[in-house]
Amino acid sequence: MRAFAQADRFVSEVLSRKLRSSYVFIGDEAFFRRRCREAILEHLVPPELRDFSLFEYDLGETDLAEVLDRARTPSLMAPFQVFFVRGVKSLFGRGSNTEKLAAIESYCKDPNPDAVLIFVADHISIPADVRRMDMQDKERYERIRETLGEYCGVVELARVEEGEAVRWIGEYCATREVKIDADAARELVDALGGDMMMVSNELEKLILYVNEKKRITLGDVETMVLAAKQRSLYELTDAISSKDRVRALEMLDAMLATGDGDEAAIGHLYMLAKTFRQMLVILERNVRDQRMLWAALWQGFRVPPFAADDIIKQARRYKSKRELTRAIRLVAKTDLALRSNPPSKRLVLEKLVLELTAEPKPEISGYLQEELPV
């Protein structure tokens, strides 16, 4: 399967221990990133040595020179070291970053043979159909290919086409000695918008649910799939788009009171960001009905059928793209806050809801002279 090929190739390199000194993971498909990470942990990082051999950095918080110095330094406690480096976007920000890129190139020419650097460029989204790739993402992708791609192995983590996702479900179930009906597999993919991370998580729950029956039917998917949680999400965004602060906070409380509670905060935030991005596309393309919606949203980025009319209605409550881009920026800011291990993830999410339900400040046009006291 085409979408799985690059992650499969990387995993095979891990298994054979024929790794390059550094890689860059391009794409925000968390399913493949988890798959690559799990292969590294299983085959290169023994559990008892994890504290000495696995390191996580963010270039927004840690200087690149420090990361490279750590990578160059052999460990006295572990035979092999793995460095996951996020915040790749900062390497291509404003101003000249030639020195930083040159430093990475210099390291790759004379690397520590007992270490591997993994640069994570998860700020780029690669759709299943690359022809539908956002222009900004395409420009960012090409810059990484032309720079880091010259001396790092490139692993594309693209979205999965619906047909490939259905096929993967069947193959995975076979490895677990479970049969899944074709209509059940299609419904699972469709209900979750082709999001492979969510598909794989819900599939594991379904396999446990059917237990000794060893067969997953359409009824099982309808009973157990994440649709109920998704409906809660769209109820939350309905309250947010209506600026109904009380109802929005109540919906958030209900979502956090079920399942994994506060630990599911990142997942809720991911779905919220995706929904606002869908609304932005709907507003940009002036979508007015379901037929136009399916044409505007590509595979892997579509909404569940039950939510189609709701999301169109919610998107049209926003008066401009500026309001939706503001919402997306607030969600991104919250994502950083959650990943910094705050004392209370609930409070971080509640603050986000308060900001999203606040009335936007009016745009100020022209120059207004400051009034002086008389």
Side-chain angles (χ1 to χ4, degrees):
M1 292 183 281
R2 183 181 60 83
F4 291 75
Q6 298 224 8
D8 287 345
R9 185 195 67 199
F10 176 79
V11 170
S12 68
E13 290 177 10
V14 171
L15 293 174
S16 62
R17 291 184 175 266
K18 295 181 179 179
L19 288 167
R20 299 182 61 163
S21 62
S22 58
Y23 292 84
V24 54
F25 289 174
I26 307 180
D28 62 352
E29 179 50 81
F31 171 76
F32 291 125
R33 189 162 63 251
R34 182 177 70 178
R35 186 176 183 184
C36 293
R37 183 186 178 90
E38 287 176 348
I40 288 172
L41 295 181
E42 181 180 355
H43 300 284
L44 301 178
V45 184
E48 66 275 11
L49 298 177
R50 200 151 291 177
D51 290 341
F52 308 104
S53 55
L54 179 65
F55 304 95
E56 310 266 359
Y57 291 104
D58 189 321
L59 295 179
E61 302 170 357
T62 307
D63 188 70
L64 174 65
E66 180 181 339
V67 176
L68 295 178
D69 284 344
R70 289 293 302 271
R72 286 191 182 95
T73 306
S75 172
L76 298 176
M77 304 297 294
F80 196 82
Q81 298 178 92
V82 179
F83 297 83
F84 283 98
V85 185
R86 304 179 70 91
V88 171
K89 184 178 180 179
S90 66
L91 294 175
F92 302 91
R94 294 180 180 178
S96 175
N97 292 284
T98 305
E99 291 184 5
K100 293 181 179 179
L101 294 171
I104 297 173
E105 181 178 10
S106 176
Y107 171 82
C108 292
K109 288 179 178 178
D110 184 24
N112 176 0
D114 296 320
V116 62
L117 276 169
I118 309 289
F119 292 97
V120 182
D122 55 359
H123 62 291
I124 295 174
S125 180
I126 306 177
D129 183 353
V130 293
R131 293 172 298 179
R132 289 185 171 272
M133 193 172 183
D134 180 83
M135 186 58 67
Q136 186 180 45
D137 281 341
K138 189 172 183 180
E139 290 174 355
R140 290 171 171 171
Y141 173 86
E142 291 299 333
R143 288 190 67 186
I144 290 176
R145 293 279 303 193
E146 292 168 1
T147 52
L148 293 179
E150 289 293 317
Y151 32 87
C152 298
V154 174
V155 182
E156 294 179 11
L157 309 181
R159 301 287 176 166
V160 179
E161 190 269 334
E162 291 177 4
E164 288 191 348
V166 170
R167 179 180 166 188
W168 175 84
I169 290 172
E171 293 178 353
Y172 181 76
C173 284
T175 66
R176 300 289 296 273
E177 299 182 349
V178 173
K179 177 177 174 55
I180 183 167
D181 295 349
D183 55 354
R186 284 192 295 270
E187 176 63 19
L188 181 60
V189 173
D190 187 50
L192 301 177
D195 186 307
M196 284 301 298
M197 179 64 87
M198 296 177 67
V199 167
S200 63
N201 288 342
E202 293 307 305
L203 185 58
E204 290 293 344
K205 295 176 186 177
L206 283 163
I207 290 172
L208 292 175
Y209 175 70
V210 298
N211 197 11
E212 295 181 0
K213 188 174 70 169
K214 296 293 184 180
R215 179 185 176 188
I216 301 172
T217 65
L218 178 60
D220 296 325
V221 174
E222 291 174 341
T223 299
M224 290 293 294
V225 80
L226 199 61
K229 290 184 181 178
Q230 281 197 301
R231 286 186 171 87
S232 298
L233 172 76
Y234 290 112
E235 288 178 22
L236 173 61
T237 55
D238 181 68
I240 289 172
S241 62
S242 301
K243 307 300 181 188
D244 188 339
R245 180 170 289 180
V246 173
R247 183 160 65 94
L249 289 171
E250 288 175 347
M251 286 306 308
L252 176 65
D253 180 68
M255 292 171 67
L256 295 177
T258 59
D260 297 323
D262 287 11
E263 295 307 311
I266 293 290
H268 293 319
L269 199 65
Y270 169 76
M271 290 302 297
L272 198 60
K274 182 176 180 180
T275 304
F276 278 120
R277 288 173 57 211
Q278 289 166 336
M279 288 188 196
L280 184 59
V281 173
I282 290 168
L283 202 63
E284 287 178 333
R285 303 192 182 183
N286 197 27
V287 173
R288 295 181 177 274
D289 55 43
Q290 286 198 29
R291 180 182 59 80
M292 295 177 67
L293 181 66
W294 304 135
L297 301 181
W298 50 93
Q299 288 183 346
F301 193 60
R302 290 176 179 160
V303 302
F306 71 80
D309 291 330
D310 286 342
I311 197 170
I312 294 172
K313 179 180 67 176
Q314 292 173 27
R316 298 186 69 81
R317 287 176 181 153
Y318 291 91
K319 299 180 178 64
S320 67
K321 292 188 292 183
R322 178 174 173 271
E323 288 186 54
L324 281 168
T325 53
R326 169 184 172 270
I328 293 170
R329 283 197 296 269
L330 287 172
V331 172
K333 181 180 176 182
T334 303
D335 179 64
L336 289 175
L338 287 177
R339 294 180 189 277
S340 63
N341 295 319
S344 171
K345 293 180 179 179
R346 176 182 289 267
L347 286 178
V348 172
L349 290 177
E350 287 178 348
K351 181 176 181 289
L352 172 64
V353 168
L354 292 175
E355 292 175 329
L356 290 173
T357 52
E359 289 294 338
K361 295 179 180 179
E363 296 186 46
I364 300 175
S365 59
Y367 173 75
L368 294 180
Q369 183 175 356
E370 183 180 359
E371 292 186 9
L372 297 176
V374 295

